[in-house]
Amino acid sequence: EAKYKVTPNLFAAVRWNQQLFGTVPDGAGGATRWDHNLIRVDTALGWRFTRHVQAKLQYSHTHQPGPLAPGEELFAAQFTVKF
């Protein structure tokens, strides 16, 4: 995870998340995968209007191979007021 202050009010951030799953005994003398491996990358660009108000745009990409792969693209907007 990293955050970089581009200007005093503008910041950029990136986060890398990776989950790797192994195998478990299947009860019949063999082994089966616990789950499919997962990779997720989040990026964000934010603007701090004042010390207490900021807005952020975020994009997330998730990759999980397998027959039931979840949605892979996510866009989000966030407005935060701190008091």
Side-chain angles (χ1 to χ4, degrees):
E1 184 173 315
K3 184 176 176 183
Y4 178 73
K5 191 181 281 192
V6 180
T7 69
N9 295 343
L10 179 67
F11 64 89
V14 65
R15 176 183 298 139
W16 175 273
N17 179 19
Q18 188 171 1
Q19 298 175 10
L20 304 173
F21 295 97
T23 58
V24 293
D26 63 4
T32 186
R33 292 197 56 80
W34 181 265
D35 202 351
H36 296 286
N37 293 338
L38 174 81
I39 297 172
R40 179 173 172 179
V41 178
D42 300 318
T43 58
L45 192 61
W47 182 265
R48 191 174 306 275
F49 297 98
T50 68
R51 208 173 129 184
H52 301 285
V53 179
Q54 77 176 18
K56 181 170 68 170
L57 296 174
Q58 180 177 330
Y59 167 74
S60 297
H61 176 77
T62 303
H63 178 71
Q64 182 178 19
L68 299 174
E72 293 188 352
E73 311 296 327
L74 173 69
F75 292 95
Q78 181 182 33
F79 186 76
T80 307
V81 178
K82 181 172 69 170
F83 53 93

